[in-house]
């Protein structure tokens, strides 16, 4: 990833590795609670509300080519059950591991004279900037992978009635009397026949009345 705007050390998702140093094998453990950034999750499905607390546990390890970051993010996600459409809340735990490379070193840790010569490699690499790295893109990817694509309020949620939309979990005995469409057709035919018989009877009565009048 090529360097863009300079990182702001005041951003809670930007971390400083100067204390860690560049000696391979050096370790640093960090814990931090940050406010969730906007749109952290699966848009329109489930996610961590903006501003909600996200607990981070990080392990920073200095290696030849950069800093290897391993961590876990914990938060509460909110969404809507895909079966009954009721609001739901679930505990989120997302694990991640990412390498942040020194901009002056290749993938084998060797110093290169002119960083960024290989554009394709730069696009695939996350780079340290003045000893800082931005965890937000890594966090976003980890959260999306950890969240369910089709969240449910409970594993056996029965959903909604297809006839009236009632929530079946609230009324397990809910049902509608089913009418066999074949009988419904016969009932309609019977109704038509009865109407026809009435018309015939009415016509017959009229003929009798006319004869009596003559």
């Amino acid at each position: 990833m090529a360097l863009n705007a300079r990182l702001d050390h005041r951003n809670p998702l930007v971390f400083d590795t100067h204390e860690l140093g560049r000696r391979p094998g050096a370790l640093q453990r960090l814990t931090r609670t940050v406010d969730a950034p906007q749109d952290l999750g699966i848009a329109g499905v489930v996610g961590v509300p903006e501003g909600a607390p996200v607990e981070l546990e990080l392990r920073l390890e200095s290696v030849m080519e950069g800093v290897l970051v391993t961590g876990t993010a914990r938060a509460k996600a909110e969404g809507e059950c895909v079966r009954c459409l009721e609001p739901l809340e679930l505990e989120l735990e997302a694990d991640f591991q990412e390498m942040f490379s020194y901009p002056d070193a290749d993938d084998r840790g060797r110093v290169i004279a002119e960083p960024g010569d290989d554009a394709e490699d730069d696009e695939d690499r996350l780079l340290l900037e003045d000893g800082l790295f931005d965890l937000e893109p890594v966090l976003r990817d980890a959260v999306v992978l950890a969240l369910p694509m089709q969240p449910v309020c409970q594993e056996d949620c029965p959903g909604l009635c297809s006839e009236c939309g009632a929530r079946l979990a609230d009324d397990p005995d809910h049902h509608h009397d089913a009418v066999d469409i074949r009988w419904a057709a016969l009932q309609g035919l019977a109704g038509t026949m009865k109407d026809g018989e009435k018309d015939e009877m009415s016509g017959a009565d009229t003929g009798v009345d006319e004869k009596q009048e003559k």
Side-chain angles (χ1 to χ4, degrees):
M1 181 181 69
L3 295 177
N4 296 315
R6 294 181 63 84
L7 297 180
D8 185 352
H9 65 88
R10 294 170 297 181
N11 184 332
L13 286 172
V14 171
F15 292 80
D16 192 336
T17 67
H18 285 101
E19 185 177 338
L20 177 68
R22 293 185 64 158
R23 181 174 59 85
L27 294 175
Q28 185 180 13
R29 296 183 185 276
L30 300 172
T31 59
R32 183 181 294 183
T33 299
V34 302
D35 292 340
Q38 186 178 10
D39 300 326
L40 182 60
I42 304 172
V45 180
V46 62
V48 181
E50 182 179 1
V54 179
E55 297 178 3
L56 299 173
E57 292 184 6
L58 304 180
R59 179 178 182 268
L60 279 55
E61 180 180 1
S62 179
V63 295
M64 289 292 293
E65 62 267 32
V67 176
L68 179 64
V69 179
T70 305
T72 301
R74 297 182 178 87
K76 288 186 178 180
E78 298 178 0
E80 186 179 83
C81 177
V82 296
R83 297 179 187 170
C84 68
L85 307 182
E86 287 293 310
L88 59 81
E89 186 176 90
L90 54 85
E91 297 292 334
L92 166 70
E93 183 169 311
D95 297 323
F96 51 86
Q97 186 175 72
E98 190 63 58
M99 171 66 71
F100 289 87
S101 301
Y102 299 124
D104 60 348
D106 63 13
D107 57 0
R108 295 184 180 180
R110 297 174 302 190
V111 174
I112 53 180
E114 297 182 8
D117 283 347
D118 192 329
E120 292 185 1
D121 287 346
D122 283 347
E123 290 179 0
D124 295 335
R125 297 163 63 202
L126 293 175
L127 302 179
L128 290 165
E129 180 184 325
D130 295 331
L132 304 176
F133 68 86
D134 185 2
L135 190 66
E136 183 172 337
V138 177
L139 177 63
R140 287 187 180 280
D141 290 344
V143 167
V144 169
L145 291 175
L147 288 172
M149 293 295 295
Q150 294 187 319
V152 292
C153 58
Q154 55 187 24
E155 291 298 327
D156 58 349
C157 174
L160 303 176
C161 173
S162 59
E163 296 288 333
C164 65
R167 188 169 182 263
L168 298 179
D170 296 334
D171 184 8
D173 297 326
H174 179 86
H175 71 282
H176 294 271
D177 293 331
V179 178
D180 191 313
I181 58 174
R182 294 170 297 180
W183 288 110
L186 291 175
Q187 289 176 354
L189 180 60
T192 302
M193 291 179 63
K194 289 180 180 179
D195 292 340
E197 290 174 355
K198 289 180 180 179
D199 291 341
E200 291 178 0
M201 292 179 64
S202 176
D205 292 342
T206 301
V208 171
D209 291 341
E210 290 177 352
K211 289 180 180 181
Q212 290 177 351
E213 289 176 0
K214 291 179 180 180

